[in-house]
Amino acid sequence: LHSRILRVMAGHVVVIGSINADLVVSVDHLPAPGQTVVGGRFAVHHGGKGANGAIAAARAGARVTMIAAAGTDDHGEHGIAALEEEGVDVSRVRRVEGEPTGVALIVVGRRGENQIALAPGANASLELDADDRALIGEAEVILTNHEIPQATVLDALRAAHDGGTLAILNPAPAHALPAEVLSLGPILTPNEHELVVAIGNDETGPALDELAIRNHGPVIVTQGPAGALLADRDRRQRFSGYPAASAVDTTGAGDTFCGVLAAWLADGRALPDAITAANAAGALSVGAAGARAGMPGREEIEGLVEAGGPE
């Protein structure tokens, strides 16, 4: 297992999400439309918002089960093996004949910013069965996202609601949120772009006000190095970010935030404490190339939190 995994696992997190291969080109600057940027460095990394979040949760000390779909190709084989190496239970991962594993084409600029195009492949075929729903109902926390079919996301949220399981929905990639999702009250973790798309309002402040009223659970707007903003019908609370020593690659920072948030909540921590830990983990994660290379373990997260963030 990864050296940074806490050996004593805590609460159970079930992740319903994507497994991808990330094909990454690092360049001096991101290309404009129609422009070719020459001189980049190429690398292949394991990815997928679901798999990234699962590994972030596992490194943070949670017991993690992954519900996902991958192709029978090499990307699928290696992606599943990478999850197993991190201690993630992959017994609920399907191998889909005739479909490739999802692939993300990622361009990373010198300040860590990125552009991403995604071909979902086998992720688009994921559906839940009765055993999946039962597992969701038995977990402390579930985590899901929009790289799988919307019907599957809704099915997972219903199963969590019926079983009394805390649900986190990372509404990424950006997608309008239907009324039934909001009625089920998941914790939502949009960034500012995903926030305005989720509610159909181009102004961030009014969009957050509307989403906080309409959603039956908390909304956490992630803001990168600026931290995060927690909102619900009765409160607004800002959490300062933790400045990264150097931002090499921001790919997966939001997934790290969500995975650590899930792990802390599964361990019975209060939501503000979980957000603080997730902020610290997100800052640590951007210091290495690839979505997972910089993902911290629990001791690293707690160390940064104890050291204190910005004044």
Side-chain angles (χ1 to χ4, degrees):
L1 295 182
H2 196 286
S3 62
R4 289 178 293 187
I5 296 176
L6 190 69
R7 299 295 175 174
V8 179
M9 294 298 180
H12 187 195
V13 175
V14 174
V15 179
I16 308 96
S18 51
I19 296 174
N20 294 329
D22 291 349
L23 310 185
V24 183
V25 177
S26 300
V27 293
D28 184 66
H29 63 276
L30 298 182
Q35 179 187 19
T36 298
V37 177
V38 179
R41 299 175 306 281
F42 176 70
V44 180
H45 301 291
H46 301 300
K49 288 187 172 297
N52 291 344
I55 287 176
R59 290 189 186 177
R63 179 167 66 92
V64 182
T65 301
M66 182 89 197
I67 299 174
T72 56
D73 51 14
D74 287 344
H75 287 320
E77 181 179 348
H78 295 157
I80 294 170
L83 288 163
E84 287 185 296
E85 288 171 5
E86 298 279 353
V88 176
D89 180 352
V90 297
S91 60
R92 303 302 302 166
V93 176
R94 293 82 154 134
R95 302 298 297 274
V96 182
E97 294 282 352
E99 289 289 346
T101 300
V103 171
L105 305 180
I106 304 174
V107 182
V108 179
R110 62 182 174 183
R111 293 184 299 274
E113 71 279 22
N114 59 44
Q115 294 175 339
I116 302 174
L118 175 64
N123 294 310
S125 70
L126 181 62
E127 297 179 351
L128 303 186
D129 61 23
D131 290 338
D132 296 325
R133 297 184 191 99
L135 184 67
I136 287 168
E138 295 167 0
E140 275 75 41
V141 177
I142 70 159
L143 171 62
T144 189
N145 62 69
H146 284 163
E147 286 188 347
I148 58 174
Q150 288 295 300
T152 306
V153 171
L154 187 54
D155 195 359
L157 295 178
R158 287 195 197 107
H161 185 268
D162 292 346
T165 300
L166 183 64
I168 302 170
L169 169 59
N170 180 13
H175 195 287
L177 292 174
E180 186 172 0
V181 166
L182 302 180
S183 73
L184 293 169
I187 297 173
L188 300 174
T189 59
N191 63 24
E192 292 182 341
H193 169 66
E194 292 151 4
L195 168 66
V196 298
V197 173
I199 207 69
N201 189 325
D202 291 336
E203 297 184 42
T204 302
L208 178 57
D209 290 340
E210 184 177 353
L211 186 57
I213 290 171
R214 291 180 57 192
N215 191 47
H216 289 205
V219 180
I220 305 166
V221 182
T222 59
Q223 299 176 310
L229 179 62
L230 170 63
D232 57 25
R233 298 184 183 192
D234 302 316
R235 63 177 163 175
R236 297 290 187 277
Q237 184 174 354
R238 178 166 294 283
F239 295 80
S240 297
Y242 291 80
S246 61
V248 175
D249 186 355
T250 59
T251 306
D255 306 333
T256 300
F257 180 100
C258 291
V260 172
L261 181 74
W264 246 248
L265 291 173
D267 197 32
R269 307 293 187 93
L271 182 58
D273 292 339
I275 295 172
T276 298
N279 268 340
L284 290 165
S285 74
V286 303
R292 301 178 188 171
M295 281 183 180
R298 193 182 194 103
E299 291 182 359
E300 293 173 84
I301 298 166
E302 291 179 336
L304 182 55
V305 170
E306 289 171 5
E311 297 295 330

